[in-house]
Amino acid sequence: MKAYLTRAYMFSASHRLHSEAMSDEENALTYGKCNNPFGHGHNYRLEVMVSGSVDEATGMVCNLADLDGFVQREILERFDLENLNLRPEFKHDVPTTENLCTAIYDILQRGFAHAHLEKVRIEETMMNSFEYAGASNIQY
């Protein structure tokens, strides 16, 4: 039997939405107040959804301690209280929440082996949330 587990985490980070490939005017038009030279911060809510067979002995898809430990070490310690513009993950990309979502998905996909990663969802504000389920799930 396949089951799904979604676990939520919180972290805070700042960013400035600005592309070196665009002029200051284009950046201001594209990113508006998020292009503030001093940046701004968010209290992000991260959801990680994994799936797998329910283990008959434990009754679980995966051990929460394994998932929590991985997310703490590889995601929260990396991004919490950081300026995303200064992170190597965004050396060539604007640190939008869409790009943050895909970066977190890729980290989890590469390193968490205890269950199948289904998707990552990030709430940036009460009005904005973003999801990514891997490149193979993108439909145009």
Side-chain angles (χ1 to χ4, degrees):
M1 163 178 66
K2 182 178 182 178
Y4 297 85
L5 163 67
T6 302
R7 191 80 164 150
Y9 306 91
M10 300 290 294
F11 68 98
S12 299
S14 66
H15 63 172
R16 177 188 186 205
L17 302 186
H18 184 86
S19 171
E20 296 298 326
M22 294 190 294
S23 70
D24 288 342
E25 295 76 23
E26 289 172 307
N27 273 293
L29 285 171
T30 301
Y31 300 117
K33 66 182 181 179
C34 295
N35 184 244
N36 177 343
F38 301 105
H40 63 282
H42 295 283
N43 293 316
Y44 294 102
R45 183 175 190 272
L46 167 66
E47 294 179 6
V48 176
M49 179 188 281
V50 297
S51 68
S53 297
V54 176
D55 183 275
E56 289 185 24
T58 66
M60 299 186 300
V61 171
C62 72
N63 189 321
L64 289 178
D66 293 333
L67 182 58
D68 289 349
F70 186 88
V71 171
Q72 178 63 42
R73 277 188 319 278
E74 300 297 327
I75 306 301
L76 302 181
E77 290 179 13
R78 184 182 310 225
F79 296 120
D80 190 33
L81 304 177
E82 291 286 325
N83 178 340
L84 298 177
N85 296 81
L86 303 179
R87 295 289 316 164
E89 293 84 0
F90 301 105
K91 183 176 181 178
H92 302 292
D93 295 317
V94 178
T96 61
T97 305
E98 293 93 332
N99 284 335
L100 177 60
C101 205
T102 61
I104 289 172
Y105 181 94
D106 290 343
I107 293 164
L108 287 162
Q109 182 70 17
R110 284 192 310 268
F112 187 71
H114 298 282
H116 174 74
L117 178 62
E118 291 288 337
K119 69 178 179 178
V120 168
R121 180 176 184 272
I122 299 177
E123 286 183 18
E124 179 184 65
T125 69
M126 289 175 44
M127 304 292 284
N128 296 336
S129 65
F130 305 86
E131 293 185 14
Y132 184 67
S136 63
N137 290 322
I138 296 175
Q139 297 177 4
Y140 298 98

